[in-house]
């Protein structure tokens, strides 16, 4: 009788355990995308500049990825792969936790501490946990998962603090030059230059910020027969004869968080995401389309985020070295004083094209994981009022993102071509460093 009762009790325990396991939802790339989308919303609210946005994304993704590494034997830590990356210690949690939940919470905890409006993440995080509770998720498991996440996030935040970004506020205020041919603030906002010292921030994989220094831009000249004036004339002619298709492409890839609209009484900021947020959105679309599991999706998002950060460091290093005048300024001075480009000019020097650099870098990473002929529909900007666009490959999208800046009237063609080249080099370098594989054949930088 005692043995029979023990058997019945054992069965009940096993059945109970099975029910408890069933209560744990299997997370996917969708939840990763949702966290990044919330980060993006806060960035829109804070008017976070593109380079800084890439920094927020990168550390949040690294926090989530390190939780995966500690609980999935197929994943490898970034320790020894990224510059000065610490050996993230696994928290000693004596209670049951769910590592996928911890990974998502680690992203949230990191974003909460890094983003200016990060405190608003508290409500999002609580709603997320409440939704899990309604699905039958154990209170104890959720709490243990949160403690785990906070421990890993704290270690990532210490790594982030050491990247020297916090020193930038102590540097001398950047004063635009009045020299002919140099960049100067543009209307309507006439904003101060964005992140002139971003090249002093520690990169993730680069040996130096100038590792992929591009060839010098075409030299400024007022001579109408000069190479520069030909570039300038081409930008002007495109702007005044802009086909509808080019207008649509320019608008789709605008991603300018500094855009303003004059409603007749005051300037109103338009809600636009950063180019990095757009490419992480594309990453989420690809992961969902291919039904990529949670661990691999976290790795891919992290790789894209790392390439974004290093791409911006490379590009910004050149921007404030060459300090070249924007088409809008030059056209008004030397061709047509009433000229106005389709897109508002972002507040930083022209050469290189940031869109070309980070789009090409992201496309290299995504092509590595999903292949060269990956067809998808880009719906990232739908929630911001723009229709979806279809692409047959990530590189096709990257090329379109680059040329969109010419259509929009904010870049010359050499900045777009050489920005693409730099982005391809950065993307391949990130893969070589992190995946520890032989350098793949570089995709030809399309010249227009």
């Amino acid at each position: 009788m005692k043995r029979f009762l023990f058997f019945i009790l054992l069965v009940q325990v096993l059945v109970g355990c099975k029910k408890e396991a069933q209560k744990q939802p299997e997370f996917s790339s969708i939840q990763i995308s949702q966290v990044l989308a919330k980060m993006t919303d806060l960035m829109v609210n804070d008017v976070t500049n593109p380079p800084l946005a890439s920094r927020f994304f990168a550390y949040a993704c690294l926090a989530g990825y390190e939780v995966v590494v500690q609980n999935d034997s197929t994943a490898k830590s970034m320790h020894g792969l990224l510059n000065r990356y610490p050996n993230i210690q696994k928290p000693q949690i004596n209670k049951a936790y769910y590592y996928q939940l911890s990974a998502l919470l680690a992203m949230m905890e990191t974003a909460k501490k890094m983003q200016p409006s990060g405190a608003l993440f508290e409500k999002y995080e609580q709603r997320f946990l409440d939704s899990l509770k309604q699905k039958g998720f154990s209170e104890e498991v959720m709490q243990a998962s949160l403690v785990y996440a906070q421990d890993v996030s704290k270690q990532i935040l210490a790594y982030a603090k050491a990247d020297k970004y916090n020193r930038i506020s102590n540097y001398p205020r950047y004063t635009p030059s009045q020299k002919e041919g140099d960049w100067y603030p543009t209307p309507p906002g006439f904003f101060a230059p964005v992140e002139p010292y971003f090249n002093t921030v520690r990169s993730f994989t680069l040996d130096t910020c100038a590792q992929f220094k591009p060839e010098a831009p075409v030299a400024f000249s007022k001579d109408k027969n000069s190479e520069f004036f030909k570039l300038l004339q081409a930008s002007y002619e495109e702007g005044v004869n802009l086909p509808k298709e080019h207008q649509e492409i320019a608008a789709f890839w605008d991603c300018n968080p500094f855009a303003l609209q004059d409603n007749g009484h005051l300037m109103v900021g338009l809600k636009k995401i950063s180019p990095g947020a757009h490419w992480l959105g594309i990453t989420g679309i690809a992961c969902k389309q291919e039904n990529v599991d949670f661990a691999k999706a976290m790795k891919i998002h992290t790789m894209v985020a790392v390439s974004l950060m290093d791409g911006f460091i490379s590009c910004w290093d050149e921007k404030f070295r060459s300090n070249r005048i924007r088409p809008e300024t030059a056209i008004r001075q030397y061709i047509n004083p009433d000229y106005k480009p389709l897109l508002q000019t972002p507040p930083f020097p022209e050469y290189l094209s940031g869109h070309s650099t980070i789009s090409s870098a992201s496309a290299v990473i995504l092509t590595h994981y999903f292949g060269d002929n990956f067809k998808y529909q880009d719906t990232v900007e739908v929630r911001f009022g723009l229709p979806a666009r279809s692409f047959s490959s990530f590189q096709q999208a990257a090329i379109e993102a680059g040329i969109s800046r010419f259509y929009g009237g904010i870049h010359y063609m050499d900045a777009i071509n050489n920005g693409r080249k730099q982005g391809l080099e950065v993307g391949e370098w990130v893969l070589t460093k992190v995946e520890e594989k032989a350098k793949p054949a570089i995709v030809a930088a399309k010249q227009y």
Side-chain angles (χ1 to χ4, degrees):
M1 179 61 71
K2 289 182 178 180
R3 289 182 178 179
F4 177 74
L5 291 174
F6 176 77
F7 175 75
I8 294 297
L9 179 61
L10 180 61
V11 170
Q12 289 176 335
V13 170
L14 291 175
V15 170
C17 289
K18 185 176 181 181
K19 287 182 178 179
E20 181 65 21
Q22 289 175 342
K23 291 177 183 177
Q24 295 183 354
E26 185 67 24
F27 294 122
S28 68
S29 64
I30 295 175
Q31 284 72 40
I32 298 173
S33 294
Q34 289 171 344
V35 174
L36 294 174
K38 182 59 180 178
M39 289 184 67
T40 297
D41 289 342
L42 293 186
M43 291 178 195
V44 170
N45 177 74
D46 296 336
V47 195
T48 303
N49 67 65
L52 184 56
S54 73
R55 181 172 178 266
F56 293 157
F57 285 132
Y59 287 115
C61 286
L62 281 168
Y65 179 65
E66 282 301 322
V67 174
V68 170
V69 167
Q70 294 173 352
N71 295 274
D72 187 330
S73 59
T74 65
K76 186 174 182 179
S77 174
M78 294 293 181
H79 178 61
L81 301 178
L82 302 186
N83 294 332
R84 300 182 182 180
Y85 195 78
N87 186 9
I88 304 298
Q89 299 298 309
K90 185 174 183 178
Q92 297 300 312
I93 306 295
N94 297 322
K95 296 181 180 180
Y97 65 88
Y98 188 35
Y99 93 85
Q100 292 184 354
L101 174 57
S102 292
L104 294 170
L105 291 173
M107 294 177 70
M108 297 181 203
E109 290 293 314
T110 303
K112 276 164 51 174
K113 297 296 191 300
M114 294 191 74
Q115 294 188 242
S117 295
L120 298 177
F121 239 113
E122 194 70 48
K123 292 182 179 179
Y124 174 81
E125 183 179 286
Q126 191 56 55
R127 287 197 303 270
F128 176 65
L129 291 173
D130 288 343
S131 69
L132 296 181
K133 187 186 300 184
Q134 292 174 3
K135 294 176 182 178
F137 209 95
S138 165
E139 185 82 44
E140 288 189 357
V141 170
M142 287 194 296
Q143 183 58 36
S145 300
L146 177 58
V147 171
Y148 191 120
Q150 291 170 334
D151 191 302
V152 171
S153 176
K154 184 178 180 180
Q155 296 179 66
I156 292 294
L157 288 168
Y159 176 58
K161 187 176 181 180
D163 72 2
K164 301 180 182 179
Y165 182 81
N166 60 0
R167 298 184 185 181
I168 288 178
S169 60
N170 298 322
Y171 296 155
R173 183 180 179 87
Y174 184 90
T175 302
S177 166
Q178 298 283 349
K179 182 181 175 182
E180 244 184 353
D182 280 0
W183 174 82
Y184 200 77
T186 51
F190 296 97
F191 293 114
V194 165
E195 302 293 4
Y197 298 109
F198 202 67
N199 64 345
T200 66
V201 179
R202 179 197 61 215
S203 70
F204 288 116
T205 68
L206 303 176
D207 293 336
T208 71
C209 60
Q211 181 175 352
F212 299 110
K213 180 181 177 181
E215 61 184 74
V218 171
F220 171 79
S221 174
K222 293 184 291 184
D223 183 349
K224 294 186 178 181
N225 294 316
S226 67
E227 192 62 31
F228 176 81
F229 213 90
K230 291 177 182 177
L231 289 173
L232 183 63
Q233 189 69 40
S235 292
Y236 176 63
E237 291 176 359
E238 174 69 19
V240 296
N241 300 293
L242 199 59
K244 183 179 179 181
E245 182 185 5
H246 291 189
Q247 294 179 36
E248 293 172 350
I249 291 172
F252 183 78
W253 293 102
D254 187 14
C255 303
N256 178 11
F258 299 95
L260 296 172
Q261 185 177 61
D262 187 350
N263 66 4
H265 300 281
L266 74 164
M267 291 290 182
V268 178
L270 302 177
K271 291 187 175 182
K272 297 194 178 188
I273 65 175
S274 69
H278 193 137
W279 277 97
L280 283 168
I282 292 173
T283 303
I285 290 170
C287 287
K288 181 180 178 182
Q289 185 171 312
E290 289 298 289
N291 197 27
V292 172
D293 66 47
F294 183 88
K296 186 176 180 181
M298 188 64 77
K299 170 70 176 291
I300 297 172
H301 278 86
T302 302
M303 289 291 286
V304 171
V306 165
S307 75
L308 288 170
M309 175 78 163
D310 284 2
F312 275 116
I313 289 174
S314 297
C315 183
W316 253 242
D317 175 60
E318 178 57 41
K319 277 185 178 294
F320 287 91
R321 177 175 32 251
S322 54
N323 197 31
R324 188 164 70 172
I325 190 171
R326 285 281 185 173
E328 177 176 6
T329 306
I331 290 172
R332 285 180 172 177
Q333 288 182 1
Y334 308 114
I335 298 179
N336 181 355
D338 297 320
Y339 171 79
K340 184 179 180 180
L342 175 69
L343 301 181
Q344 286 181 26
T345 303
F348 34 81
E350 188 271 342
Y351 188 86
L352 297 163
S353 162
H355 270 57
S356 296
T357 299
I358 66 98
S359 295
S360 296
S362 298
V364 168
I365 303 298
L366 292 172
T367 298
H368 173 78
Y369 292 109
F370 295 103
D372 190 38
N373 298 309
F374 189 88
K375 296 181 179 180
Y376 69 97
Q377 189 175 48
D378 185 344
T379 57
V380 174
E381 300 277 2
V382 168
R383 69 191 184 108
F384 293 96
L386 292 172
R389 290 185 66 82
S390 297
F391 298 97
S392 58
S393 73
F394 301 112
Q395 289 296 349
Q396 181 199 20
I399 290 170
E400 184 178 281
I403 194 65
S404 74
R405 313 308 273 172
F406 175 71
Y407 297 158
I410 58 179
H411 274 299
Y412 309 106
M413 283 311 307
D414 63 336
I416 292 169
N417 287 327
N418 292 329
R420 174 161 171 74
K421 182 179 179 182
Q422 184 185 71
L424 294 172
E425 291 172 333
V426 170
E428 293 198 2
W429 180 255
V430 170
L431 280 178
T432 302
K433 293 286 286 187
V434 177
E435 293 291 10
E436 298 182 304
K437 294 181 179 180
K439 187 175 181 180
I442 195 165
V443 180
K446 182 175 179 180
Q447 300 291 310
Y448 298 92

